[in-house]
Structures are given as structure tokens and as C-alpha cells.
Amino acid sequence: MRTSILSLLLVIGNALCAQPDAPSPIAPLPSSHQVAWQQMETYAFIHFGPNTFGDREWGYGDAPVSSFNPTRLDCEQWAQTLKAAGMKGVIITAKHHDGFCLWPTKYTDYSVRNSPFRDGHGDVVGELAAACKKYDLKMGVYLSPWDRHQAFYGTPLYVEYFYAQLEELLTQYGPLFEIWFDGANGGDGYYGGAREKRTIDSRTYYDFPRAHRLIAQHQPQIIIFSDGGPGCRWVGNEKGYAFDTNWSFLRKGEVYPGYERFQVLQSGHPDGDIWVPAECDVSIRPGWFYHASEDDKVKTVDYLCDLYYRSVGHNGTFLLNFPVNREGRIHPTDSAHAVDFHKRITAELANNLLLDARIKATDERGKAFSVRALTDGNYDTYWATHDGVTTATLTFTFKRPREVNRLMLGEYIPLGQRVKTFAVDYYDGRQWQPVDAQEQTTTVGYKRLLRFPTVRSKQLRVRFLDSRGPLCINAAALYYAPQGTASYEGEKAKYDQKELLR
Ligand code: FUL
């Protein structure tokens, strides 16, 4: 008898607490690895190799191995700098287009093994892997498919060589978070002394599906970068930003290495059927490799902050390159700017004013999906609307007027990217006025950051105006950045999105 009363109470209790089910996912969806990768937000690139010593960007493939001779190489100095700059990982050019290998590969003489560096006993990839482990950074590798050194480039033998090297990198350096396959296939090169132009079909020559299988076999968590993914995509420019509208989708089979419809890469396909988020790569200097002549051209803190808002804040990741110098170190100016950039962003986005605000929504799917989830710091809880409700308003009310100039929103992407358009307003005491975000308030995705001239108000609101399904928003924040928008307006003038469209 007692058991049945207990069961009855349990049934009633469950019925009372029962929440509507979570919203159904809307395809395409990210893998859990893609979500974890996106959460890294900022990570570094290191370009280093014979180009560093020859003052070049694209080595022809004929630099003598003896030219690679860093005298004070210190991967721990890189790791400490990157850590202080807020970077979560680092991707190194294990092999750039010139074919020189920074690790002692078995498959070519053209590597550190035959250079003066550490008397031929060095392994830059290995030293970086050890430093990453020590400083808790994730590691990735860049392995250029194009190789301007090898005599057999262009033949089937080279493809085997490429796979053998890929396998070495996948098996000798511990877990990797990303592998970078560049789309450049410029044609001419040294090619074992032939010094000629070689043309391959970049869509078929490397047999990338085979590479994907090899990678899945050894390290299934790796995010594979190429122009069209499949793990993440090139953002269509090398300036470090995504468009305001940025869908994490592409159409299967449409983007191949060397794809030139840059606008698609910069904003994704709204009707795409595969999840391929954007990675925004840029160098902290004009060049990818170190050139002493660029010591006074290191991007400023303002510039880097602007890029952060337009990469991470536009639903992308920010891949910032550090050209290591001839000593084998990150130059002090680059370190200082990168660390100050991180401090500035951290300060601007430190204090979420919504923690002190009342938040109301015009629709709430139930207790488990209430607006509390917006500020609870838990990635996996989210405010959601009922099925069929694709427009809703969030209103934030402070006890007293506050100064505000930044907004952050995040969608719960494990259920898909949904928001198509939104608007942000503040109450000026008499009526609602739009904030002046100076960009399109369209997609949100993993993270959307808006900067606007400071408003002083007791109330702000976000109106979600169109969505691919019920809203699933897992984070919202309002901030007051002391610098206001001064730097933003200065930097904004330097860009013209149209310049990159074809
Ligand atoms: C490009 C390459 O050609 C550059 O040298 C650099 O490595 C950059 C990240 O990708 O396509």
C-alpha cells in the first residue's frame, strides 16, 4: 500500500514538474568536436621556416637546408606569450609551400634533420608539442598540400608522400585540435631542380576523402580546415573578419580548394546542408612570415580589438598569426600588442550588467527553458520559445539607468543555427529607440557581439524578428566598455566589405 501511494505521488510530482520537451534540432548540426572548437574562440598561427631566413612569403622550394638556423628558438616563449594573449591553441606551419619540414620526417632530406638547428637533432613540431602540453594549449598543424621542393610533385608518388607525412604528424605529436590544408596551388617551383610550372587539379589530385579517412582513423576529434571544410571553412579573406551575416553552413560539394566565390565563404549559405563554421585568419603583421622591415607595422591594439568583434563576434573563430623571427622567438612588439589586446577585450566584456537586471520574455517554453538560462553561465541551458514561435522579445530592466555600449548574444548551436534577424532598442524615457550598431543585425550563431555608441537607459530590448525555428538562446550580456566606440569608429573606416566581393 505504502509503495503504491509513493508511486502515485511520484507520478503526480513528475507531471507537475514535467517540462515541455527540448526543441527539435534543426539541421545542419555541428559535431560535438565542432562545438568544442568554436568555444576556443581565439587561437594562434605560427609561420616559421626557411622563408623566415630568406625574407620571403612563398619560398620557391630551393632554399638550402643550411639556411634554417634559429639561434635561440624557444617554444616555451611562444607558449607563454600566446597564453598571456588569451589564445587557446596554436597551429604551426609544419610544412609550408616550400616543402621544408620543421620535424625530422623519414620521407625527405629537406627538413630540420639536415639543418644546423640543434646540429640536426632538432624537431620544432616536437618542441612546440611539449610547450603546449606544459602551458595547456591545444596544438594544430599546417601541412601544405602544394610542395614546391619535391621533384615528384604532380605525380601519384607525391600523393603517397603527402599521406605518409600526414600520418607521421597524426601519430607522433599527441592530440591535435586542427589540421590546416591550404588552398594555394600556385604552379611554379623548384621541383627538384626542374624549375618549372606544374598544374594539378586541386579538386581531385590530393584525394582529400582519403585524407579525411586517415585522420578519422588516428584522431577523429581534429577539425579539418580547408577552403570548404569539412571541419571549418576559410572565411574568404585573410583580413581576420567574417561578414555581419554569417551562417555556419555550406552546400555539400559546392566549395572546393581554390574556390573563388569569396562572399559565400564570408557569410555562409543560409540554405546550406552541412555545418562548416568560419575561421577568420589574419597575421599580426602584413606578412605571414617574419620580415624585419615590418617591425613597425604590427597591428595596433585597437585594430586587433576591432577584428575580435568582427570574427568571434560574428560567429567565427579568430586565428591570429605570429611570425616567429630569425632567433626563433615572437618579437616583443607582437607580444605586447597581443597581450594588451587580450587585456582590453577582457576588460570590455568583464562585467555583465544583466546580472543586475530583470529579464522578461514574450514567450517561454517552460521552466527548464526560462530566461534564467541566459545569465547562468551554463553553456547547455538556454531560453527557448514554444514550437511555432519564431519571433519574441527579451526586455531587460535595470533598477536605475545604466550606461551600455556592448551586447552579446549566443545561440545554443548544438540544436542548430536559427536566428535570421533581430533588432536592439533602448528606452529613452519616452519611447524605444534603436541602438546604432552600424552593422546588420541578422545572424547570431555561436556568438554575436554588437558595439554601439553609449546609451544611458533603464531598459533595453532585443526583438528576434525571424528565425528558422523556435529560439534557443543560451547567453545574453550587456556591457559598458569604458573606451566607448572611439576605436571602433576609427577602424571601421578602414574596411569596405565590397572590396572583397567578386
Ligand atoms: C595562404 C598561404 O599561401 C600563405 O602563405 C599563408 O600560409 C596563409 C595562411 O594561407 O593561402
Side-chain angles (χ1 to χ4, degrees):
M1 181 65 182
R2 268 181 53 200
T3 350
S4 56
I5 291 177
L6 199 63
S7 330
L8 189 66
L9 285 175
L10 276 175
V11 170
I12 294 172
N14 280 344
L16 286 176
C17 301
Q19 299 300 336
D21 291 334
S24 306
I26 302 180
L29 298 175
S31 69
S32 58
H33 304 306
Q34 285 173 311
V35 176
W37 167 88
Q38 189 116 30
Q39 287 170 328
M40 291 173 68
E41 299 193 356
T42 59
Y43 43 90
F45 230 166
I46 297 278
H47 275 65
F48 188 49
N51 292 346
T52 311
F53 300 87
D55 218 2
R56 307 186 73 157
E57 276 295 308
W58 271 16
Y60 193 67
D62 61 350
V65 271
S66 57
S67 68
F68 183 78
N69 190 16
T71 45
R72 292 175 64 224
L73 183 119
D74 183 358
C75 291
E76 292 204 7
Q77 185 256 357
W78 309 357
Q80 285 163 356
T81 304
L82 301 179
K83 198 78 191 169
M87 304 283 146
K88 301 294 189 306
V90 51
I91 302 173
I92 184 165
T93 51
K95 183 183 87 167
H96 200 251
H97 311 325
D98 64 3
F100 183 85
C101 299
L102 293 183
W103 80 105
T105 168
K106 278 202 298 243
Y107 302 104
T108 178
D109 291 340
Y110 201 52
S111 85
V112 279
R113 198 194 290 279
N114 292 306
S115 78
F117 169 60
R118 308 237 190 282
D119 293 326
H121 299 293
D123 178 353
V124 182
V125 179
E127 288 190 31
L128 182 57
C132 284
K133 208 166 168 198
K134 181 163 173 187
Y135 291 93
D136 189 29
L137 286 165
K138 293 188 181 182
M139 164 128 165
V141 291
Y142 174 120
L143 181 67
S144 171
W146 184 29
D147 188 318
R148 303 173 95 186
H149 178 78
Q150 294 300 341
F152 45 82
Y153 180 79
T155 70
L157 180 62
Y158 173 78
V159 181
E160 296 309 317
Y161 170 81
F162 176 63
Y163 282 94
Q165 293 202 318
L166 177 60
E167 191 150 30
E168 281 185 331
L169 291 170
L170 291 170
T171 53
Q172 294 177 10
Y173 298 102
L176 302 172
F177 81 96
E178 183 167 330
I179 184 144
W180 236 78
F181 293 132
D182 196 273
N185 276 288
D188 64 328
Y190 172 69
Y191 304 125
R195 297 185 182 276
E196 61 189 12
K197 185 166 180 184
R198 293 192 183 164
T199 314
I200 51 96
D201 182 346
S202 61
R203 293 193 211 202
T204 53
Y205 176 59
Y206 303 106
D207 190 4
F208 279 113
R210 183 177 153 199
H212 301 167
R213 288 195 297 276
L214 187 70
I215 292 166
Q217 186 190 330
H218 292 294
Q219 299 215 29
Q221 80 290 345
I222 291 188
I223 297 302
I224 303 171
F225 167 94
S226 82
D227 289 352
C232 67
R233 70 175 197 265
W234 183 44
V235 75
N237 66 66
E238 291 186 336
K239 297 185 171 199
Y241 64 83
F243 278 1
D244 323 355
T245 302
N246 181 16
W247 293 99
S248 292
F249 317 149
L250 290 180
R251 293 187 196 134
K252 195 168 170 51
E254 193 172 305
V255 179
Y256 51 85
Y259 188 75
E260 290 205 337
R261 286 181 54 207
F262 299 134
Q263 181 170 9
V264 166
L265 295 172
Q266 286 171 106
S267 55
H269 268 306
D271 60 352
D273 52 2
I274 44 172
W275 186 276
V276 194
E279 176 182 83
C280 307
D281 63 323
V282 68
S283 186
I284 197 164
R285 292 164 174 243
W288 293 98
F289 285 90
Y290 178 81
H291 310 287
S293 59
E294 294 180 351
D295 282 352
D296 59 353
K297 296 193 174 65
V298 180
K299 289 187 174 53
T300 61
V301 174
D302 281 353
Y303 198 124
L304 294 171
C305 288
D306 184 55
L307 291 182
Y308 174 88
Y309 282 101
R310 303 172 75 209
S311 55
V312 175
H314 283 178
N315 185 33
T317 58
F318 187 39
L319 171 54
L320 180 62
N321 179 62
F322 293 80
V324 164
N325 67 18
R326 289 183 184 178
E327 288 189 312
R329 288 169 177 250
I330 295 176
H331 190 279
T333 309
D334 308 33
S335 304
H337 289 201
V339 172
D340 287 348
F341 145 71
H342 177 55
K343 284 189 186 152
R344 166 93 70 85
I345 291 293
T346 310
E348 290 194 359
L349 307 179
N351 184 17
N352 183 0
L353 302 173
L354 287 186
L355 295 175
D356 266 351
R358 193 155 43 86
I359 306 179
K360 286 193 82 172
T362 51
D363 187 275
E364 209 168 68
R365 199 174 174 91
K367 212 169 156 200
F369 306 101
S370 81
V371 291
R372 287 169 60 93
L374 295 168
T375 52
D376 68 0
N378 181 343
Y379 187 79
D380 291 308
T381 59
Y382 48 93
W383 161 67
T385 56
H386 287 93
D387 285 351
V389 178
T390 55
T391 59
T393 299
L394 287 174
T395 306
F396 312 121
T397 308
F398 299 117
K399 288 194 192 78
R400 55 186 175 82
R402 307 292 299 248
E403 293 193 305
V404 180
N405 55 23
R406 301 281 188 275
L407 168 78
M408 186 273 284
L409 292 171
E411 279 190 85
Y412 188 60
I413 56 168
L415 295 180
Q417 188 183 345
R418 299 162 181 239
V419 176
K420 293 185 185 177
T421 321
F422 65 102
V424 184
D425 316 301
Y426 69 101
Y427 194 67
D428 73 359
R430 276 175 303 148
Q431 53 186 331
W432 289 100
Q433 303 277 8
V435 303
D436 182 14
Q438 299 177 35
E439 52 180 44
Q440 294 173 0
T441 47
T442 44
T443 52
V444 173
Y446 166 76
K447 185 174 274 190
R448 185 70 196 266
L449 289 161
L450 292 185
R451 291 164 288 178
F452 45 89
T454 304
V455 296
R456 191 179 157 78
S457 175
K458 256 183 90 166
Q459 279 195 312
L460 286 97
R461 69 181 184 189
V462 178
R463 288 177 291 133
F464 294 97
L465 301 170
D466 198 5
S467 172
R468 295 170 66 237
L471 297 155
C472 298
I473 307 291
N474 69 347
L478 287 173
Y479 303 101
Y480 172 64
Q483 285 89 355
T485 55
S487 62
Y488 163 52
E489 275 149 17
E491 294 303 328
K492 182 93 175 166
K494 292 188 188 155
Y495 301 106
D496 177 3
Q497 295 195 345
K498 292 203 179 74
E499 82 200 33
L500 284 151
L501 301 183
R502 291 198 176 175

